[in-house]
Amino acid sequence: MRPTIEKITPQLKTIFSHLHEHPETSWNEHDTTSYIRQLFKNYDCKITTLDDSPGLVIEIGQGSPVVAMRADIDALWQEVNGEFQANHSCGHDAHMTIAIGSLLTLLEDGYPEKGTFRFIFQPAEEKGTGALSLVDKGIVDDVDYLYGMHLRPMEELGDNQFAPAIRHGAACFIDGVIQGDDAHGARPHLNTNAIHVGGELIQHLKNIDINPMIPHSIKMTAFQSGGESKNIIPGNATFSVDLRAQTNAVMDELMINVKRITAMLADYHNISIELKIDANIAASVINQEATSIMEDAIKDSVGVDKLQPMITTTGGDDFHFYTIKKPHLKATMLAIGCDLQPGLHHPNMTFNHAIIPEAVEILTNALIKTAERGNQDDQ
């Protein structure tokens, strides 16, 4: 490991602890943005904050190629020990710490004379809208290579193991509203019980049959109906549905089925069911050149014995909107095995923090290798 990374490891522990203890939900990451900004205010780098949202971009170097690293900065809102709160149960606190460590390493050790290194601290990954916002702002218009990272649960990748790419699936989050009339508990014939409609919807979602060779899932993740009065049959409800698919084509099939089912139930019960897509995250597009560079960086940094094949997961990440919206981008995500248990988004998720310096080493090497390869190609 680079001596610089060993030297800054105590500082990275402090940074991680601060980020972990001060989580902020999507589009509310203002204090997180300020904290990262102040870490680098005394360094020779260009810091750009966003006019209308949290998040920031820090840049060093000059010329081509432009090599970027993205870290997501938002936390989840979930129930932890009986109370709802912001919570870093998806590892974004680690992702930020790793990106900060890589930038600090380049600033301390130096970097290739030719090449621009851009560190993107992106808001609202959990909402699936942060990457699209930065694409619209032109943050990656001139980027040639883009790298990301994600901690992986034990069921996907063992402790202290790394993979050069993550084949994420597509994800879609739907909000629904059932609209009808309330009725007296003694007169169920005078309305349609929205809770019964919800039960029927769940059953029909379970009955969707799509090619089992392609991983996919669909499930209801929220349902609210009724109030304090026990003798009122509720006619209204709100609900949320989470859809996952390994390919964008299968996601399209799931969406068609959801729309057909809700239209059928609305017609049968003579009620209204409205659907609104909260987020729609596309499946990944894998770039072989970027993946190859990351694979070499893993081998050189931690040894070939810690290298694993590309991870395939039905989880989604808005990172892939960068490559879908900007096809010229060569991108991949480092999969980090870190004894993560019980799983991502569990309110009490834990992982092996000792993996952070090793991930810093890998990604720093990937950035340098990419810049050097770009300079060779120009010669």
Side-chain angles (χ1 to χ4, degrees), residues 272-319:
S272 169
I273 303 179
E274 297 181 358
L275 301 177
K276 178 184 177 183
I277 296 178
D278 182 56
N280 193 8
I281 302 170
S284 61
V285 176
I286 305 298
N287 179 266
Q288 290 303 124
E289 184 179 349
T291 300
S292 176
I293 294 172
M294 186 66 73
E295 183 174 324
D296 289 341
I298 294 171
K299 292 177 182 177
D300 293 349
S301 301
V302 295
V304 68
D305 58 315
K306 295 184 180 180
L307 173 66
Q308 295 295 315
M310 176 173 58
I311 297 297
T312 297
T313 177
T314 52
D317 196 297
D318 78 345
F319 176 86

mmCIF file of all heavy atoms in Angstrom, residues 272-319:
data_model
loop_
_atom_site.group_PDB
_atom_site.id
_atom_site.type_symbol
_atom_site.label_atom_id
_atom_site.label_comp_id
_atom_site.label_asym_id
_atom_site.label_seq_id
_atom_site.Cartn_x
_atom_site.Cartn_y
_atom_site.Cartn_z
ATOM 1 N N SER A 272 -61.030 4.737 -8.790
ATOM 2 C CA SER A 272 -59.895 5.296 -9.512
ATOM 3 C C SER A 272 -58.594 4.797 -8.870
ATOM 4 O O SER A 272 -58.469 4.811 -7.645
ATOM 5 C CB SER A 272 -59.942 6.823 -9.473
ATOM 6 O OG SER A 272 -58.737 7.386 -9.943
ATOM 7 N N ILE A 273 -57.654 4.352 -9.702
ATOM 8 C CA ILE A 273 -56.316 4.009 -9.229
ATOM 9 C C ILE A 273 -55.320 4.749 -10.110
ATOM 10 O O ILE A 273 -55.217 4.486 -11.305
ATOM 11 C CB ILE A 273 -56.040 2.497 -9.281
ATOM 12 C CG1 ILE A 273 -57.077 1.717 -8.456
ATOM 13 C CG2 ILE A 273 -54.630 2.198 -8.767
ATOM 14 C CD1 ILE A 273 -56.874 0.212 -8.488
ATOM 15 N N GLU A 274 -54.607 5.689 -9.513
ATOM 16 C CA GLU A 274 -53.639 6.482 -10.254
ATOM 17 C C GLU A 274 -52.223 6.034 -9.899
ATOM 18 O O GLU A 274 -51.926 5.756 -8.735
ATOM 19 C CB GLU A 274 -53.809 7.967 -9.935
ATOM 20 C CG GLU A 274 -55.164 8.531 -10.359
ATOM 21 C CD GLU A 274 -55.286 10.013 -10.044
ATOM 22 O OE1 GLU A 274 -54.326 10.560 -9.458
ATOM 23 O OE2 GLU A 274 -56.326 10.607 -10.373
ATOM 24 N N LEU A 275 -51.356 5.984 -10.895
ATOM 25 C CA LEU A 275 -49.962 5.591 -10.702
ATOM 26 C C LEU A 275 -49.039 6.738 -11.078
ATOM 27 O O LEU A 275 -49.291 7.457 -12.045
ATOM 28 C CB LEU A 275 -49.619 4.373 -11.570
ATOM 29 C CG LEU A 275 -50.431 3.096 -11.350
ATOM 30 C CD1 LEU A 275 -49.991 2.020 -12.340
ATOM 31 C CD2 LEU A 275 -50.285 2.599 -9.921
ATOM 32 N N LYS A 276 -47.967 6.882 -10.295
ATOM 33 C CA LYS A 276 -46.953 7.882 -10.580
ATOM 34 C C LYS A 276 -45.582 7.257 -10.371
ATOM 35 O O LYS A 276 -45.323 6.661 -9.323
ATOM 36 C CB LYS A 276 -47.106 9.096 -9.659
ATOM 37 C CG LYS A 276 -46.040 10.166 -9.869
ATOM 38 C CD LYS A 276 -46.193 11.302 -8.871
ATOM 39 C CE LYS A 276 -45.088 12.341 -9.036
ATOM 40 N NZ LYS A 276 -45.197 13.427 -8.020
ATOM 41 N N ILE A 277 -44.726 7.367 -11.369
ATOM 42 C CA ILE A 277 -43.369 6.828 -11.256
ATOM 43 C C ILE A 277 -42.514 7.800 -10.457
ATOM 44 O O ILE A 277 -42.316 8.944 -10.865
ATOM 45 C CB ILE A 277 -42.760 6.570 -12.643
ATOM 46 C CG1 ILE A 277 -43.551 5.479 -13.376
ATOM 47 C CG2 ILE A 277 -41.289 6.161 -12.509
ATOM 48 C CD1 ILE A 277 -43.051 5.189 -14.772
ATOM 49 N N ASP A 278 -42.031 7.340 -9.318
ATOM 50 C CA ASP A 278 -41.185 8.168 -8.465
ATOM 51 C C ASP A 278 -39.743 8.169 -8.963
ATOM 52 O O ASP A 278 -39.061 9.189 -8.923
ATOM 53 C CB ASP A 278 -41.249 7.657 -7.022
ATOM 54 C CG ASP A 278 -40.423 8.515 -6.073
ATOM 55 O OD1 ASP A 278 -40.673 9.726 -6.023
ATOM 56 O OD2 ASP A 278 -39.528 7.967 -5.401
ATOM 57 N N ALA A 279 -39.263 7.013 -9.404
ATOM 58 C CA ALA A 279 -37.916 6.902 -9.968
ATOM 59 C C ALA A 279 -37.878 5.696 -10.890
ATOM 60 O O ALA A 279 -38.554 4.695 -10.640
ATOM 61 C CB ALA A 279 -36.873 6.757 -8.872
ATOM 62 N N ASN A 280 -37.095 5.799 -11.943
ATOM 63 C CA ASN A 280 -36.995 4.716 -12.918
ATOM 64 C C ASN A 280 -35.519 4.576 -13.303
ATOM 65 O O ASN A 280 -35.003 5.360 -14.092
ATOM 66 C CB ASN A 280 -37.850 5.009 -14.146
ATOM 67 C CG ASN A 280 -38.035 3.794 -15.021
ATOM 68 O OD1 ASN A 280 -37.648 2.689 -14.660
ATOM 69 N ND2 ASN A 280 -38.624 3.991 -16.181
ATOM 70 N N ILE A 281 -34.838 3.596 -12.708
ATOM 71 C CA ILE A 281 -33.398 3.449 -12.860
ATOM 72 C C ILE A 281 -33.102 2.349 -13.880
ATOM 73 O O ILE A 281 -33.553 1.219 -13.733
ATOM 74 C CB ILE A 281 -32.749 3.105 -11.510
ATOM 75 C CG1 ILE A 281 -33.073 4.208 -10.484
ATOM 76 C CG2 ILE A 281 -31.240 2.942 -11.659
ATOM 77 C CD1 ILE A 281 -32.686 3.850 -9.072
ATOM 78 N N ALA A 282 -32.335 2.678 -14.887
ATOM 79 C CA ALA A 282 -32.050 1.736 -15.971
ATOM 80 C C ALA A 282 -30.978 0.733 -15.564
ATOM 81 O O ALA A 282 -30.158 0.978 -14.681
ATOM 82 C CB ALA A 282 -31.607 2.485 -17.215
ATOM 83 N N ALA A 283 -30.993 -0.419 -16.206
ATOM 84 C CA ALA A 283 -29.960 -1.435 -15.992
ATOM 85 C C ALA A 283 -28.618 -0.933 -16.529
ATOM 86 O O ALA A 283 -28.556 -0.043 -17.379
ATOM 87 C CB ALA A 283 -30.354 -2.740 -16.678
ATOM 88 N N SER A 284 -27.544 -1.525 -16.029
ATOM 89 C CA SER A 284 -26.201 -1.031 -16.330
ATOM 90 C C SER A 284 -25.780 -1.304 -17.774
ATOM 91 O O SER A 284 -26.268 -2.228 -18.420
ATOM 92 C CB SER A 284 -25.184 -1.692 -15.390
ATOM 93 O OG SER A 284 -25.180 -3.088 -15.578
ATOM 94 N N VAL A 285 -24.861 -0.471 -18.234
ATOM 95 C CA VAL A 285 -24.185 -0.669 -19.510
ATOM 96 C C VAL A 285 -22.696 -0.822 -19.181
ATOM 97 O O VAL A 285 -22.061 0.113 -18.683
ATOM 98 C CB VAL A 285 -24.404 0.516 -20.468
ATOM 99 C CG1 VAL A 285 -23.604 0.311 -21.745
ATOM 100 C CG2 VAL A 285 -25.886 0.699 -20.763
ATOM 101 N N ILE A 286 -22.143 -2.002 -19.425
ATOM 102 C CA ILE A 286 -20.769 -2.315 -19.019
ATOM 103 C C ILE A 286 -19.788 -1.958 -20.133
ATOM 104 O O ILE A 286 -19.988 -2.308 -21.294
ATOM 105 C CB ILE A 286 -20.628 -3.810 -18.672
ATOM 106 C CG1 ILE A 286 -21.659 -4.210 -17.599
ATOM 107 C CG2 ILE A 286 -19.211 -4.121 -18.207
ATOM 108 C CD1 ILE A 286 -21.492 -3.496 -16.288
ATOM 109 N N ASN A 287 -18.721 -1.245 -19.774
ATOM 110 C CA ASN A 287 -17.676 -0.901 -20.735
ATOM 111 C C ASN A 287 -16.457 -1.773 -20.481
ATOM 112 O O ASN A 287 -15.903 -1.773 -19.380
ATOM 113 C CB ASN A 287 -17.297 0.579 -20.616
ATOM 114 C CG ASN A 287 -16.204 0.978 -21.586
ATOM 115 O OD1 ASN A 287 -15.027 0.972 -21.246
ATOM 116 N ND2 ASN A 287 -16.587 1.303 -22.811
ATOM 117 N N GLN A 288 -16.023 -2.502 -21.482
ATOM 118 C CA GLN A 288 -14.938 -3.465 -21.314
ATOM 119 C C GLN A 288 -13.592 -2.803 -21.042
ATOM 120 O O GLN A 288 -12.782 -3.318 -20.265
ATOM 121 C CB GLN A 288 -14.846 -4.369 -22.547
ATOM 122 C CG GLN A 288 -16.005 -5.341 -22.688
ATOM 123 C CD GLN A 288 -16.145 -6.224 -21.456
ATOM 124 O OE1 GLN A 288 -17.198 -6.290 -20.822
ATOM 125 N NE2 GLN A 288 -15.081 -6.922 -21.081
ATOM 126 N N GLU A 289 -13.333 -1.653 -21.667
ATOM 127 C CA GLU A 289 -12.044 -0.992 -21.465
ATOM 128 C C GLU A 289 -11.907 -0.497 -20.025
ATOM 129 O O GLU A 289 -10.883 -0.726 -19.370
ATOM 130 C CB GLU A 289 -11.874 0.183 -22.434
ATOM 131 C CG GLU A 289 -10.501 0.844 -22.311
ATOM 132 C CD GLU A 289 -10.315 1.988 -23.290
ATOM 133 O OE1 GLU A 289 -11.151 2.145 -24.206
ATOM 134 O OE2 GLU A 289 -9.313 2.726 -23.132
ATOM 135 N N ALA A 290 -12.941 0.177 -19.523
ATOM 136 C CA ALA A 290 -12.908 0.652 -18.139
ATOM 137 C C ALA A 290 -12.816 -0.518 -17.167
ATOM 138 O O ALA A 290 -12.089 -0.463 -16.168
ATOM 139 C CB ALA A 290 -14.137 1.505 -17.837
ATOM 140 N N THR A 291 -13.544 -1.594 -17.455
ATOM 141 C CA THR A 291 -13.509 -2.785 -16.600
ATOM 142 C C THR A 291 -12.117 -3.399 -16.584
ATOM 143 O O THR A 291 -11.621 -3.833 -15.538
ATOM 144 C CB THR A 291 -14.540 -3.818 -17.086
ATOM 145 O OG1 THR A 291 -15.850 -3.241 -17.032
ATOM 146 C CG2 THR A 291 -14.517 -5.067 -16.217
ATOM 147 N N SER A 292 -11.471 -3.441 -17.750
ATOM 148 C CA SER A 292 -10.114 -3.986 -17.845
ATOM 149 C C SER A 292 -9.123 -3.163 -17.022
ATOM 150 O O SER A 292 -8.248 -3.714 -16.345
ATOM 151 C CB SER A 292 -9.681 -4.037 -19.313
ATOM 152 O OG SER A 292 -8.346 -4.483 -19.430
ATOM 153 N N ILE A 293 -9.254 -1.833 -17.071
ATOM 154 C CA ILE A 293 -8.373 -0.968 -16.284
ATOM 155 C C ILE A 293 -8.585 -1.222 -14.793
ATOM 156 O O ILE A 293 -7.623 -1.329 -14.021
ATOM 157 C CB ILE A 293 -8.632 0.513 -16.617
ATOM 158 C CG1 ILE A 293 -8.225 0.813 -18.063
ATOM 159 C CG2 ILE A 293 -7.873 1.426 -15.649
ATOM 160 C CD1 ILE A 293 -8.614 2.195 -18.545
ATOM 161 N N MET A 294 -9.845 -1.345 -14.381
ATOM 162 C CA MET A 294 -10.140 -1.596 -12.975
ATOM 163 C C MET A 294 -9.608 -2.957 -12.540
ATOM 164 O O MET A 294 -9.087 -3.116 -11.426
ATOM 165 C CB MET A 294 -11.644 -1.509 -12.728
ATOM 166 C CG MET A 294 -12.037 -1.614 -11.252
ATOM 167 S SD MET A 294 -11.462 -0.199 -10.271
ATOM 168 C CE MET A 294 -12.595 1.078 -10.845
ATOM 169 N N GLU A 295 -9.707 -3.939 -13.414
ATOM 170 C CA GLU A 295 -9.182 -5.272 -13.099
ATOM 171 C C GLU A 295 -7.678 -5.220 -12.869
ATOM 172 O O GLU A 295 -7.159 -5.820 -11.915
ATOM 173 C CB GLU A 295 -9.519 -6.239 -14.235
ATOM 174 C CG GLU A 295 -9.080 -7.668 -13.977
ATOM 175 C CD GLU A 295 -9.566 -8.618 -15.055
ATOM 176 O OE1 GLU A 295 -10.687 -8.426 -15.568
ATOM 177 O OE2 GLU A 295 -8.813 -9.563 -15.384
ATOM 178 N N ASP A 296 -6.958 -4.492 -13.732
ATOM 179 C CA ASP A 296 -5.508 -4.347 -13.560
ATOM 180 C C ASP A 296 -5.181 -3.612 -12.261
ATOM 181 O O ASP A 296 -4.207 -3.944 -11.571
ATOM 182 C CB ASP A 296 -4.910 -3.592 -14.744
ATOM 183 C CG ASP A 296 -4.899 -4.418 -16.022
ATOM 184 O OD1 ASP A 296 -5.018 -5.652 -15.923
ATOM 185 O OD2 ASP A 296 -4.789 -3.821 -17.112
ATOM 186 N N ALA A 297 -5.994 -2.617 -11.925
ATOM 187 C CA ALA A 297 -5.764 -1.862 -10.698
ATOM 188 C C ALA A 297 -5.942 -2.747 -9.468
ATOM 189 O O ALA A 297 -5.201 -2.627 -8.489
ATOM 190 C CB ALA A 297 -6.713 -0.667 -10.631
ATOM 191 N N ILE A 298 -6.926 -3.643 -9.501
ATOM 192 C CA ILE A 298 -7.137 -4.577 -8.389
ATOM 193 C C ILE A 298 -5.930 -5.500 -8.242
ATOM 194 O O ILE A 298 -5.402 -5.689 -7.138
ATOM 195 C CB ILE A 298 -8.423 -5.400 -8.602
ATOM 196 C CG1 ILE A 298 -9.659 -4.494 -8.552
ATOM 197 C CG2 ILE A 298 -8.543 -6.508 -7.550
ATOM 198 C CD1 ILE A 298 -10.946 -5.181 -8.966
ATOM 199 N N LYS A 299 -5.484 -6.064 -9.352
ATOM 200 C CA LYS A 299 -4.340 -6.981 -9.316
ATOM 201 C C LYS A 299 -3.097 -6.290 -8.765
ATOM 202 O O LYS A 299 -2.390 -6.831 -7.910
ATOM 203 C CB LYS A 299 -4.046 -7.509 -10.725
ATOM 204 C CG LYS A 299 -5.108 -8.425 -11.303
ATOM 205 C CD LYS A 299 -4.740 -8.812 -12.727
ATOM 206 C CE LYS A 299 -5.787 -9.678 -13.379
ATOM 207 N NZ LYS A 299 -5.447 -9.986 -14.791
ATOM 208 N N ASP A 300 -2.813 -5.085 -9.255
ATOM 209 C CA ASP A 300 -1.607 -4.379 -8.850
ATOM 210 C C ASP A 300 -1.685 -3.880 -7.405
ATOM 211 O O ASP A 300 -0.658 -3.757 -6.729
ATOM 212 C CB ASP A 300 -1.342 -3.193 -9.781
ATOM 213 C CG ASP A 300 -0.974 -3.627 -11.193
ATOM 214 O OD1 ASP A 300 -0.722 -4.836 -11.389
ATOM 215 O OD2 ASP A 300 -0.967 -2.770 -12.094
ATOM 216 N N SER A 301 -2.893 -3.600 -6.941
ATOM 217 C CA SER A 301 -3.050 -2.991 -5.617
ATOM 218 C C SER A 301 -3.120 -4.019 -4.497
ATOM 219 O O SER A 301 -2.481 -3.860 -3.455
ATOM 220 C CB SER A 301 -4.309 -2.121 -5.585
ATOM 221 O OG SER A 301 -4.267 -1.105 -6.550
ATOM 222 N N VAL A 302 -3.911 -5.077 -4.692
ATOM 223 C CA VAL A 302 -4.151 -6.023 -3.595
ATOM 224 C C VAL A 302 -3.845 -7.465 -3.971
ATOM 225 O O VAL A 302 -3.970 -8.367 -3.137
ATOM 226 C CB VAL A 302 -5.612 -5.908 -3.094
ATOM 227 C CG1 VAL A 302 -5.859 -4.545 -2.475
ATOM 228 C CG2 VAL A 302 -6.611 -6.183 -4.217
ATOM 229 N N GLY A 303 -3.480 -7.719 -5.229
ATOM 230 C CA GLY A 303 -3.113 -9.073 -5.634
ATOM 231 C C GLY A 303 -4.220 -9.792 -6.368
ATOM 232 O O GLY A 303 -5.405 -9.553 -6.139
ATOM 233 N N VAL A 304 -3.819 -10.706 -7.258
ATOM 234 C CA VAL A 304 -4.773 -11.414 -8.099
ATOM 235 C C VAL A 304 -5.686 -12.320 -7.283
ATOM 236 O O VAL A 304 -6.816 -12.616 -7.697
ATOM 237 C CB VAL A 304 -4.022 -12.224 -9.185
ATOM 238 C CG1 VAL A 304 -3.233 -13.369 -8.540
ATOM 239 C CG2 VAL A 304 -4.976 -12.744 -10.246
ATOM 240 N N ASP A 305 -5.238 -12.757 -6.098
ATOM 241 C CA ASP A 305 -6.054 -13.657 -5.280
ATOM 242 C C ASP A 305 -7.287 -12.968 -4.720
ATOM 243 O O ASP A 305 -8.243 -13.648 -4.313
ATOM 244 C CB ASP A 305 -5.224 -14.240 -4.137
ATOM 245 C CG ASP A 305 -4.629 -13.165 -3.248
ATOM 246 O OD1 ASP A 305 -4.093 -12.188 -3.786
ATOM 247 O OD2 ASP A 305 -4.705 -13.313 -2.009
ATOM 248 N N LYS A 306 -7.303 -11.634 -4.712
ATOM 249 C CA LYS A 306 -8.470 -10.911 -4.208
ATOM 250 C C LYS A 306 -9.402 -10.446 -5.325
ATOM 251 O O LYS A 306 -10.405 -9.786 -5.069
ATOM 252 C CB LYS A 306 -8.016 -9.712 -3.368
ATOM 253 C CG LYS A 306 -7.277 -10.106 -2.095
ATOM 254 C CD LYS A 306 -6.931 -8.884 -1.255
ATOM 255 C CE LYS A 306 -6.205 -9.302 0.013
ATOM 256 N NZ LYS A 306 -5.856 -8.132 0.866
ATOM 257 N N LEU A 307 -9.036 -10.787 -6.558
ATOM 258 C CA LEU A 307 -9.844 -10.407 -7.714
ATOM 259 C C LEU A 307 -10.943 -11.434 -7.961
ATOM 260 O O LEU A 307 -10.684 -12.631 -7.992
ATOM 261 C CB LEU A 307 -8.960 -10.290 -8.962
ATOM 262 C CG LEU A 307 -9.674 -10.062 -10.300
ATOM 263 C CD1 LEU A 307 -10.352 -8.694 -10.326
ATOM 264 C CD2 LEU A 307 -8.680 -10.198 -11.452
ATOM 265 N N GLN A 308 -12.178 -10.959 -8.126
ATOM 266 C CA GLN A 308 -13.315 -11.808 -8.434
ATOM 267 C C GLN A 308 -13.980 -11.335 -9.727
ATOM 268 O O GLN A 308 -13.783 -10.194 -10.152
ATOM 269 C CB GLN A 308 -14.336 -11.775 -7.284
ATOM 270 C CG GLN A 308 -13.817 -12.363 -5.979
ATOM 271 C CD GLN A 308 -13.526 -13.846 -6.085
ATOM 272 O OE1 GLN A 308 -14.325 -14.609 -6.639
ATOM 273 N NE2 GLN A 308 -12.371 -14.263 -5.580
ATOM 274 N N PRO A 309 -14.766 -12.210 -10.368
ATOM 275 C CA PRO A 309 -15.449 -11.798 -11.609
ATOM 276 C C PRO A 309 -16.495 -10.719 -11.340
ATOM 277 O O PRO A 309 -16.871 -10.451 -10.199
ATOM 278 C CB PRO A 309 -16.110 -13.100 -12.088
ATOM 279 C CG PRO A 309 -15.435 -14.192 -11.345
ATOM 280 C CD PRO A 309 -14.996 -13.628 -10.038
ATOM 281 N N MET A 310 -16.946 -10.119 -12.409
ATOM 282 C CA MET A 310 -17.980 -9.097 -12.334
ATOM 283 C C MET A 310 -19.177 -9.586 -11.522
ATOM 284 O O MET A 310 -19.629 -10.720 -11.666
ATOM 285 C CB MET A 310 -18.436 -8.712 -13.744
ATOM 286 C CG MET A 310 -19.579 -7.715 -13.792
ATOM 287 S SD MET A 310 -19.925 -7.148 -15.480
ATOM 288 C CE MET A 310 -20.291 -8.708 -16.309
ATOM 289 N N ILE A 311 -19.711 -8.715 -10.674
ATOM 290 C CA ILE A 311 -20.868 -9.028 -9.846
ATOM 291 C C ILE A 311 -22.153 -8.773 -10.633
ATOM 292 O O ILE A 311 -22.278 -7.744 -11.302
ATOM 293 C CB ILE A 311 -20.872 -8.164 -8.573
ATOM 294 C CG1 ILE A 311 -19.652 -8.468 -7.705
ATOM 295 C CG2 ILE A 311 -22.158 -8.373 -7.780
ATOM 296 C CD1 ILE A 311 -19.598 -9.872 -7.178
ATOM 297 N N THR A 312 -23.098 -9.697 -10.556
ATOM 298 C CA THR A 312 -24.426 -9.485 -11.125
ATOM 299 C C THR A 312 -25.420 -9.385 -9.981
ATOM 300 O O THR A 312 -25.488 -10.261 -9.122
ATOM 301 C CB THR A 312 -24.822 -10.640 -12.059
ATOM 302 O OG1 THR A 312 -23.910 -10.691 -13.157
ATOM 303 C CG2 THR A 312 -26.236 -10.436 -12.599
ATOM 304 N N THR A 313 -26.194 -8.314 -9.945
ATOM 305 C CA THR A 313 -27.144 -8.085 -8.861
ATOM 306 C C THR A 313 -28.409 -7.445 -9.415
ATOM 307 O O THR A 313 -28.359 -6.683 -10.387
ATOM 308 C CB THR A 313 -26.535 -7.172 -7.782
ATOM 309 O OG1 THR A 313 -27.510 -6.905 -6.773
ATOM 310 C CG2 THR A 313 -26.054 -5.858 -8.370
ATOM 311 N N THR A 314 -29.538 -7.745 -8.794
ATOM 312 C CA THR A 314 -30.795 -7.117 -9.216
ATOM 313 C C THR A 314 -30.966 -5.749 -8.576
ATOM 314 O O THR A 314 -31.940 -5.053 -8.857
ATOM 315 C CB THR A 314 -32.000 -8.002 -8.849
ATOM 316 O OG1 THR A 314 -31.924 -8.361 -7.461
ATOM 317 C CG2 THR A 314 -32.036 -9.259 -9.688
ATOM 318 N N GLY A 315 -30.043 -5.357 -7.697
ATOM 319 C CA GLY A 315 -30.073 -4.004 -7.167
ATOM 320 C C GLY A 315 -29.816 -2.993 -8.268
ATOM 321 O O GLY A 315 -29.255 -3.325 -9.318
ATOM 322 N N GLY A 316 -30.238 -1.766 -8.040
ATOM 323 C CA GLY A 316 -30.067 -0.724 -9.051
ATOM 324 C C GLY A 316 -29.234 0.427 -8.532
ATOM 325 O O GLY A 316 -29.046 0.594 -7.329
ATOM 326 N N ASP A 317 -28.727 1.248 -9.447
ATOM 327 C CA ASP A 317 -27.930 2.417 -9.064
ATOM 328 C C ASP A 317 -28.034 3.444 -10.182
ATOM 329 O O ASP A 317 -27.863 3.108 -11.366
ATOM 330 C CB ASP A 317 -26.468 2.029 -8.846
ATOM 331 C CG ASP A 317 -25.692 3.087 -8.079
ATOM 332 O OD1 ASP A 317 -25.564 4.214 -8.602
ATOM 333 O OD2 ASP A 317 -25.214 2.792 -6.976
ATOM 334 N N ASP A 318 -28.292 4.698 -9.825
ATOM 335 C CA ASP A 318 -28.461 5.707 -10.877
ATOM 336 C C ASP A 318 -27.141 6.104 -11.533
ATOM 337 O O ASP A 318 -27.124 6.906 -12.471
ATOM 338 C CB ASP A 318 -29.221 6.924 -10.344
ATOM 339 C CG ASP A 318 -28.376 7.884 -9.504
ATOM 340 O OD1 ASP A 318 -27.260 7.498 -9.079
ATOM 341 O OD2 ASP A 318 -28.840 9.009 -9.248
ATOM 342 N N PHE A 319 -26.026 5.536 -11.065
ATOM 343 C CA PHE A 319 -24.719 5.727 -11.703
ATOM 344 C C PHE A 319 -24.807 5.461 -13.206
ATOM 345 O O PHE A 319 -24.149 6.142 -14.011
ATOM 346 C CB PHE A 319 -23.706 4.792 -11.055
ATOM 347 C CG PHE A 319 -22.330 4.808 -11.671
ATOM 348 C CD1 PHE A 319 -21.381 5.734 -11.267
ATOM 349 C CD2 PHE A 319 -21.974 3.881 -12.643
ATOM 350 C CE1 PHE A 319 -20.101 5.735 -11.824
ATOM 351 C CE2 PHE A 319 -20.707 3.874 -13.203
ATOM 352 C CZ PHE A 319 -19.763 4.819 -12.799
#
